[in-house]
Amino acid sequence: MRVWWFCLWLLYSCAAKAAFPVGAEVFTGTAGCEAIKVVRASEPSEWIKLKPGDPSRSGDIWVRMPLPPAWPPQTLVIPSEFARQLWIYRPGIEDPEFRSIFTRRSPQDGTAYWYRIPLLAPEPGQLLLCLRSPQATPSLMQVLPEARQVERELNLRALVAASVAVIVAMASFALIFGFVLRDQIYFWYCAHLFNFMIWYSVSSWLLGQSVSLGVDAARWLLIIPTIFSALSTYFVTLFAVNFMALQLHYPRWSRLLQSASFVILMLGLLSVLTLWLPIPRRWLVNAQNLSLGLLTLALLATAIRLAFRGQRYARYFATGWTPLLILVVISVISSLQDAYVAQLLRVALLPAVAFEAFLLSIGLADRTLALKLERDAAMQAAERDSLTGVLNRRGFEGRWAAQAASDQPGALLICDLDHFKRINDQYGHPAGDQCLKRFAERAERVLPPDALLGRFGGEEFLVYLPSADGGEAQRQAEQLRAEIAAAPVVVESE
């Protein structure tokens, strides 16, 4: 439990404590970024000063800050979702510099997650920046040494690559096992991971391309993540219901969860209608996000309840899904409030899904092993005599037929215990059972390891000796008879 609290605290610390530029002032007002020359000459009186903890807002945000020292080189870091366009006035340069965050950029400008601007100028003085953004909050801007930011981006790329490798490996594992075992639960799990990767990839790609693609293309492409998010939710609900066997524990609740996932799927597919019908897409997105958040909490609560009741597969699900479900709920709450979803939150989804994929793959392997053991136990019960533990008639005939089909020589011994009916009549059936057990134990000790021993019925036993001729069979039969005769079974008479 302490580990979970530490992870939550670490996530909150990383998401909420971004470094606000030292000495920077952030304002908002009626003046647009196009008026940066006028604003540089004289500050408008209607400006409102913003604090680092202020909520996100749309529009133009102005940043005024002193130029940092030239060494070590400093860079202003802005999350890619934070900005759309940027105007910069550097001291010593007459004209402002304009940058579009959405245009294709070189690697030195940052990754798809961060956009970085080198803070260099010919002479010291005040930097003036204007940031145009649909959802912006001043607390997410950072001034960092350039080398530190490059190292952070390299670490991020390594984390993303490792997470993708784990997800792909686990999805391949599920797909292969699904075809081999012909179990649909593996296909549902693979479909969940596949749709999640499409959703994440398209969302990340659209982050830097939606403006350059144009309004019409962006409307079409923005529907794709919505549909694949709904598909991923639908398939993971089917997986969870069957993985935790909710039909046996909570049949009505199981049907309700599946119905909720179907509603989310329909909301995702209905988003296509917003291209032709006057339906506000935001309504469908909010309804889908709200349903997704409620379904997520319901799955987690169900898994935790079953885990406390001792259901081992629910423990796998609850442990593997807790980090991901926490991120999903936070994302849903943020989107419903029209607040900016922290950059780290979106990046953290991949490692969370990789952790879930790895742990649930172990759970699937455990489930497969348990099913195999149950099948082996059922087969053992079907082919073994319950009293003596040797093969019964069905098991012996099946294995003898397989041996005989190989055209190898062999010998068959038919053993019948003398006076067995008299033992049952005089000493009772428990004494007769003891005699049958002792015979089976001694026969297994005397006979060769490759011999087949089976109880054919009552006091009759069969022994098949592969690769044995008549002389060898006679020798084995005499050795078995001598072993039984040398140590009689002693029973107490009632």
Side-chain angles (χ1 to χ4, degrees):
M1 184 59 68
R2 292 181 180 179
V3 175
W4 288 118
W5 281 114
F6 173 76
C7 294
L8 291 175
W9 171 83
L10 184 62
L11 177 64
Y12 172 79
S13 301
C14 293
K17 296 184 178 180
F20 192 62
V22 178
E25 296 177 299
V26 183
F27 301 89
T28 186
T30 58
C33 290
E34 292 80 3
I36 191 169
K37 288 188 176 181
V38 178
V39 172
R40 186 191 187 192
S42 60
E43 178 180 315
S45 58
E46 72 275 10
W47 273 18
I48 302 174
K49 191 171 184 179
L50 302 178
K51 299 178 182 179
D54 286 347
S56 62
R57 62 181 64 236
S58 61
D60 297 340
I61 291 183
W62 297 84
V63 181
R64 186 171 56 192
M65 57 182 294
L67 184 70
W71 188 262
Q74 301 291 310
T75 182
L76 178 66
V77 180
I78 304 173
S80 294
E81 292 183 9
F82 184 25
R84 296 295 179 265
Q85 295 172 323
L86 183 68
W87 285 259
I88 311 172
Y89 238 128
R90 303 177 188 270
I93 299 178
E94 185 65 24
D95 296 323
E97 176 185 352
F98 171 75
R99 296 194 179 197
S100 177
I101 307 299
F102 274 113
T103 57
R104 293 185 179 273
R105 54 182 185 265
S106 58
Q108 55 264 30
D109 288 334
T111 63
Y113 300 99
W114 291 295
Y115 191 84
R116 61 177 188 260
I117 303 100
L119 299 179
L120 299 174
E123 59 185 48
Q126 289 284 328
L127 278 170
L128 181 63
L129 298 89
C130 185
L131 200 62
R132 180 161 292 168
S133 170
Q135 289 180 319
T137 177
S139 63
L140 292 174
M141 289 182 291
Q142 297 176 280
V143 174
L144 297 172
E146 186 175 356
R148 180 181 172 188
Q149 176 60 21
V150 171
E151 179 184 3
R152 184 164 69 160
E153 292 177 1
L154 291 176
N155 291 337
L156 173 64
R157 289 172 178 171
L159 177 64
V160 169
S163 301
V164 170
V166 171
I167 294 172
V168 171
M170 297 301 103
S172 302
F173 154 81
L175 188 62
I176 293 173
F177 269 69
F179 280 113
V180 172
L181 301 177
R182 300 183 183 275
D183 191 345
Q184 59 186 358
I185 192 173
Y186 293 94
F187 294 113
W188 289 335
Y189 184 61
C190 183
H192 151 61
L193 294 179
F194 175 76
N195 285 283
F196 171 82
M197 289 302 299
I198 293 181
W199 167 81
Y200 191 88
S201 302
V202 174
S203 299
S204 301
W205 183 75
L206 286 176
L207 178 64
Q209 299 294 333
S210 59
V211 170
S212 60
L213 289 170
V215 177
D216 293 335
R219 286 181 63 198
W220 275 95
L221 291 173
L222 286 173
I223 294 175
I224 297 177
T226 304
I227 295 175
F228 282 99
S229 173
L231 286 170
S232 179
T233 304
Y234 177 73
F235 284 116
V236 80
T237 304
L238 293 179
F239 165 79
V241 167
N242 287 271
F243 183 67
M244 296 186 290
L246 294 186
Q247 305 96 325
L248 301 177
H249 300 282
Y250 310 112
R252 293 184 179 178
W253 186 243
S254 170
R255 291 192 293 269
L256 182 61
L257 290 176
Q258 295 182 73
S259 300
S261 67
F262 184 75
V263 170
I264 294 175
L265 178 60
M266 289 298 101
L267 290 173
L269 296 177
L270 285 175
S271 61
V272 179
L273 298 179
T274 60
L275 296 172
W276 300 284
L277 300 179
I279 303 175
R281 180 177 175 273
R282 189 66 185 175
W283 292 359
L284 290 177
V285 172
N286 284 342
Q288 182 181 1
N289 287 337
L290 180 60
S291 303
L292 177 60
L294 294 176
L295 178 62
T296 297
L297 291 174
L299 283 173
L300 180 59
T302 305
I304 292 176
R305 183 173 182 179
L306 284 176
F308 276 107
R309 289 188 171 188
Q311 220 261 27
R312 61 190 300 180
Y313 303 121
R315 292 175 182 173
Y316 280 112
F317 188 86
T319 306
W321 264 69
T322 296
L324 177 62
L325 298 185
I326 291 175
L327 292 176
V328 169
V329 171
I330 296 176
S331 300
V332 168
I333 294 174
S334 300
S335 64
L336 290 175
Q337 292 179 347
D338 255 349
Y340 171 75
V341 179
Q343 194 77 16
L344 182 65
L345 195 62
R346 188 169 67 88
V347 177
L349 283 175
L350 265 183
V353 172
F355 174 74
E356 168 251 319
F358 176 75
L359 198 61
L360 289 186
S361 295
I362 296 177
L364 283 172
D366 186 10
R367 176 180 178 271
T368 303
L369 179 60
L371 291 176
K372 182 180 182 301
L373 293 176
E374 291 178 4
R375 186 188 63 183
D376 292 345
M379 187 176 297
Q380 179 94 355
E383 294 186 348
R384 293 282 172 175
D385 179 60
S386 59
L387 178 63
T388 60
V390 301
L391 294 172
N392 58 20
R393 181 170 181 172
R394 174 186 174 184
F396 184 87
E397 289 179 344
R399 302 196 184 188
W400 181 29
Q403 292 275 359
S406 62
D407 294 331
Q408 294 292 329
L412 181 67
L413 304 182
I414 301 177
C415 306
D416 185 272
L417 303 188
D418 294 336
H419 313 299
F420 186 74
K421 184 178 183 304
R422 190 175 66 186
I423 294 175
N424 279 335
D425 294 339
Q426 184 173 351
Y427 299 101
H429 287 282
D433 293 343
Q434 289 295 323
C435 292
L436 294 174
K437 291 179 181 179
R438 296 297 178 267
F439 174 82
E441 292 172 0
R442 296 173 186 177
E444 288 183 331
R445 185 168 61 245
V446 171
L447 294 172
D450 58 348
L452 296 180
L453 173 62
R455 185 183 176 191
F456 203 67
E459 71 276 17
E460 296 176 352
F461 290 82
L462 295 180
V463 178
Y464 179 72
L465 302 171
S467 304
D469 54 14
E472 176 66 18
Q474 187 174 2
R475 188 186 68 81
Q476 290 287 349
E478 178 58 27
Q479 184 177 359
L480 176 59
R481 187 205 62 77
E483 175 71 18
I484 300 300
V489 178
V490 179
V491 296
E492 295 181 1
S493 178
E494 297 182 357

